[in-house]
Amino acid sequence: MKLLFLWIVALHVCTAIATTKVMHLTSLTEFKWQNRLLIIQVNSKKELSQLQDEIYYHSSDFNDRKLLMLISINDKTWILDATTAQTVSPQLNHQVLKIINQNLEKVLLIGLDGGIKNRYTAKTFSLEQVFNEIDLMPMRSRKTDD
């Protein structure tokens, strides 16, 4: 049963990647006050697929926290959420690659205000760490108090 589930998720990821559109956002500032971002560099499509699986598994957590992943692979950046994978515009791709090159081996958490909230070590970071940190943020606290 688990193998069937993994096969379906892998098929979903391959289909999403094969049918991607270019996201027309041209700057990280366009996400400001709309989404939190995780910026990650991966080295293979297998790692990309694994991250898509994690996003799918945690889709309600991502949606609830307004969280998207920007994933760079082979100098190309993808926006991933629970249902889609889209490549970004050349301008945004350039910005993401610049940030990644300044923060090698790190996963960056960008807050709703557009500021870097944390730099996690890529080899040891977990989504649970990110979710816990977001839940402690003032913007998140105000949302849950309402």
Side-chain angles (χ1 to χ4, degrees):
M1 185 59 113
K2 186 175 181 180
L3 185 60
L4 177 62
F5 174 76
L6 290 175
W7 182 83
I8 291 170
V9 170
L11 181 62
H12 167 75
V13 170
C14 291
T15 303
I17 290 172
T19 60
T20 58
K21 298 176 275 186
V22 174
M23 175 86 54
H24 294 290
L25 299 172
T26 59
S27 173
L28 287 171
T29 59
E30 293 179 63
F31 292 99
K32 194 172 182 178
W33 305 118
Q34 303 299 313
N35 294 100
R36 293 177 179 92
L37 303 171
L38 276 177
I39 299 178
I40 302 172
Q41 181 176 23
V42 297
N43 298 315
S44 69
K45 288 191 177 186
K46 180 180 178 183
E47 288 178 86
L48 180 66
S49 177
Q50 289 170 339
L51 286 173
Q52 181 70 25
D53 292 349
E54 283 193 63
I55 293 169
Y56 181 76
Y57 181 78
H58 293 285
S59 61
S60 62
D61 295 311
F62 271 75
N63 292 335
D64 192 41
R65 291 170 179 84
K66 299 180 180 182
L67 185 62
L68 297 174
M69 273 195 192
L70 293 176
I71 301 175
S72 176
I73 179 172
N74 300 327
D75 293 331
K76 188 174 187 178
T77 303
W78 299 82
I79 294 178
L80 297 179
D81 66 18
T83 59
T84 60
Q86 298 179 328
T87 58
V88 301
S89 69
Q91 299 92 333
L92 182 54
N93 185 59
H94 178 74
Q95 274 190 324
V96 171
L97 292 176
K98 184 177 178 181
I99 288 172
I100 286 172
N101 287 331
Q102 294 170 349
N103 296 278
L104 295 175
E105 305 290 325
K106 300 290 182 189
V107 174
L108 277 70
L109 174 60
I110 309 293
L112 288 173
D113 64 359
I116 296 175
K117 301 303 178 187
N118 203 344
R119 290 172 176 87
Y120 304 96
T121 303
K123 291 183 180 181
T124 60
F125 118 96
S126 72
L127 287 176
E128 287 74 24
Q129 281 179 292
V130 175
F131 297 154
N132 289 337
E133 185 163 352
I134 290 171
D135 290 346
L136 294 173
M137 292 179 177
M139 292 292 292
R140 175 78 173 157
S141 299
R142 276 187 235 135
K143 180 198 176 273
T144 56
D145 288 344
D146 295 338

